Amino acid sequence: MTRQRSIRPDPGKPVPRTAMVMAAGLGKRMRPLTATRPKPLVQVAGKPLIDHVFDRLRAAGVRRAIVNVHYLADTLEAHLEQRFADIEVIVSDERGRLMETGGGLVQARELLGDEPVFVLNSDNLWIDGPVDSLKLLAARWDDATMDALLLMVPLARAHNHRGAGDFHLGSDGRITRRRRHGTVAPFAYTGIQIIHPRLIADWPEGPFSTNLFWDRAIAAGRAYGQVHQGLWFDVGTPAAIPRTEALLLDA
């Protein structure tokens, strides 16, 4: 079993003030709920998915969020303008072409600045453990040794998740992808991370996945993981919504 040293948020250590929220996807797995609304506006436990994300950003002290948009972008932009007056929201417009996660980071690169930033998917939902998960990531961040720090959850606790796991986690906190055919990796990526914008370099033309940047960081020994201490839900399909809501009632 992989163990990490106990880390509690250091009130003197700064939390990234900027986040990028990935919200441009087509939401195909969430059909038919996404026939008339973008996936980030699908409601779970009484509020849209993206509102849950912004609640966590606000609690952690994030004050600036870049949100990329593509599918039903006008609807999502109108929601952002109405709901989040206390966080500066900047739209990264992908109406012309959906850029995927890596391409989305490239398109938003000039907006991100030159300090570490949170990057979060808008289609997952989590409950903090003993401490705020975003502050926990910030406490773990070491700029001298890291280019990416991913929040991961043990595959056995990845509610609604149907994948075979994403990463292994070493005793030093570094992540690797060792997974042979027919086996599983013990940790699933939660869709929550801190990256340094210096990682966004030498990119290909057009849409591509963040996996390109992660693989470079892994090869350089500069990709790390932090185990999530609370609950996490993959809310990617309509069937996952009632299951998530039922588990939340017991939380």
Side-chain angles (χ1 to χ4, degrees), residues 192-238:
I192 304 160
Q193 63 177 322
I194 295 177
I195 68 166
H196 196 290
R198 63 178 167 242
L199 186 59
I200 307 170
D202 301 323
W203 55 81
E205 291 296 323
F208 67 96
S209 169
T210 308
N211 281 311
L212 174 69
F213 296 139
W214 286 343
D215 287 344
R216 289 176 182 171
I218 289 170
R222 295 184 61 84
Y224 286 73
Q226 172 63 43
V227 178
H228 180 49
Q229 299 178 351
L231 299 176
W232 177 81
F233 306 90
D234 181 347
V235 191
T237 65

Side-chain angles (χ1 to χ4, degrees), residues 85-161:
D86 57 338
I87 295 179
E88 180 188 6
V89 177
I90 303 169
V91 169
S92 180
D93 195 334
E94 296 182 22
R95 283 175 173 84
R97 188 180 190 186
L98 182 61
M99 298 300 293
E100 298 185 24
T101 52
L105 285 171
V106 168
Q107 183 147 323
R109 174 63 187 89
E110 296 305 313
L111 301 172
L112 297 177
D114 296 311
E115 299 295 330
V117 297
F118 289 115
V119 180
L120 307 94
N121 295 345
S122 61
D123 61 352
N124 60 46
L125 190 152
W126 74 96
I127 301 295
D128 290 328
V131 296
D132 182 295
S133 300
L134 298 182
K135 292 181 180 179
L136 182 67
L137 272 184
R140 180 73 175 86
W141 178 263
D142 180 357
D143 202 66
T145 63
M146 298 176 182
D147 288 329
L149 175 62
L150 283 58
L151 188 68
M152 304 188 301
V153 64
L155 193 57
R157 292 198 286 110
H159 296 291
N160 306 321
H161 189 67

